[in-house]
Amino acid sequence: GENVEQHPSTLSVQEGDSAVIKCTYSDSASNYFPWYKQELGKGSQLIIDIRSNVGEKKDQRIAVTLNKTAKHFSLHITETQPEDSAVYFCAASITGNQFYFGTGTSLTVIP
Amino acid sequence: SAVISQKPSRDICQRGTSLTIQCQVDSQVTMMFWYRQQPGQSLTLIATANQGSEATYESGFVIDKFPISRPNLTFSTLTVSNMSPEDSSIYLCSVRIWLNTGELFFGEGSRLTVL
């Protein structure tokens, strides 16, 4: 089955700096890659996703890039703010099938 | 999207007891799932809750330990039976509204501590 690896496991950045979280996947058939933000008391929320027919997607300060050849995708957060502090999970899926999650990245934005 | 409500949000239980977690969605959804997130770990799929029939369990999870019900398209329950401290985890209900779009939405989770 699919294997998703996520790095780093922890990340600290100064407020205003950028944060990058990287994931790799093993199954070339995977075609949907969401990112989730997990905060205490708020559950896990989908923040951005990308499909395999697109190389990059941006939503305000958040962007995701996908390299299908290398089988990796990354989350980029620019101009980080303290409220960006959370655990972020990547996932890979073949549309309609099971999701496989990375192990999570704990992001701390230092004011 | 979908609004997913889970109850209880947290509980502390004694070893050997059972706890049922409820998941209510504000709209009819195609698929409902139950995930487990052990401390410091990622999300692991327990089973797919099938409406009107037995749940489909992933490897390592069995119906006797995690019985699941899904009586309709908006509601499901997960029971953690005969609990041990190793069952201490966050249990999350998730839904997929439309099979072809792929997006997965999560409830806030139920944090279970077994003493």
Side-chain angles (χ1 to χ4, degrees):
Chain A
E2 173 70 278
N3 180 42
V4 177
E5 295 188 355
Q6 183 172 346
H7 300 280
S9 57
T10 60
L11 179 61
S12 292
V13 299
Q14 291 289 331
E15 182 177 357
D17 289 350
S18 296
V20 181
I21 303 170
K22 298 180 179 180
C23 288
T24 62
Y25 61 100
S26 60
D27 190 344
S28 58
S30 291
N31 58 6
Y32 177 63
F33 307 92
W35 285 89
Y36 292 89
K37 179 181 182 182
Q38 188 177 64
E39 298 176 275
L40 282 175
K42 294 184 181 180
S44 299
Q45 297 177 331
L46 176 68
I47 56 171
I48 197 168
D49 56 13
I50 192 168
R51 300 185 189 277
S52 59
N53 58 347
V54 175
E56 182 174 1
K57 183 176 179 180
K58 194 171 183 179
D59 182 3
Q60 299 182 346
R61 297 186 296 108
I62 296 174
V64 56
T65 59
L66 171 65
N67 183 328
K68 287 189 295 182
T69 303
K71 294 205 280 287
H72 68 70
F73 55 111
S74 300
L75 177 71
H76 304 254
I77 306 174
T78 59
E79 301 172 24
T80 54
Q81 301 168 3
E83 50 265 39
D84 295 328
S85 296
V87 177
Y88 292 82
F89 287 94
C90 65
S93 169
I94 302 171
T95 303
N97 291 342
Q98 184 176 343
F99 282 63
Y100 296 88
F101 289 88
T103 49
T105 296
S106 178
L107 172 65
T108 302
V109 179
I110 304 167
Chain B
S1 64
V3 176
I4 306 167
S5 302
Q6 268 188 248
K7 290 192 299 185
S9 58
R10 58 177 61 232
D11 207 340
I12 299 174
C13 302
Q14 295 296 321
R15 181 195 298 261
T17 63
S18 298
L19 178 74
T20 296
I21 302 167
Q22 298 181 0
C23 177
Q24 179 73 54
V25 190
D26 69 341
S27 58
Q28 293 185 346
V29 296
T30 305
M31 303 183 77
M32 296 180 75
F33 308 91
W34 287 98
Y35 283 82
R36 180 175 74 181
Q37 185 180 16
Q38 293 179 300
Q41 303 292 318
S42 188
L43 292 84
T44 301
L45 180 62
I46 297 172
T48 301
N50 300 310
Q51 192 255 329
S53 64
E54 191 172 288
T56 304
Y57 290 84
E58 298 300 311
S59 176
F61 298 97
V62 295
I63 187 171
D64 289 346
K65 177 66 176 177
F66 298 101
I68 288 170
S69 77
R70 189 180 174 190
N72 55 51
L73 293 176
T74 64
F75 185 78
S76 178
T77 66
L78 168 74
T79 299
V80 186
S81 303
N82 187 25
M83 288 182 286
S84 66
E86 293 72 34
D87 293 321
S88 297
S89 286
I90 299 173
Y91 292 86
L92 299 114
C93 171
S94 71
V95 305
R96 185 180 297 155
I97 301 174
W98 301 107
L99 187 61
N100 292 330
T101 58
E103 290 92 342
L104 194 67
F105 300 95
F106 287 89
E108 294 180 357
S110 299
R111 182 181 294 271
L112 176 62
T113 301
V114 184
L115 303 178

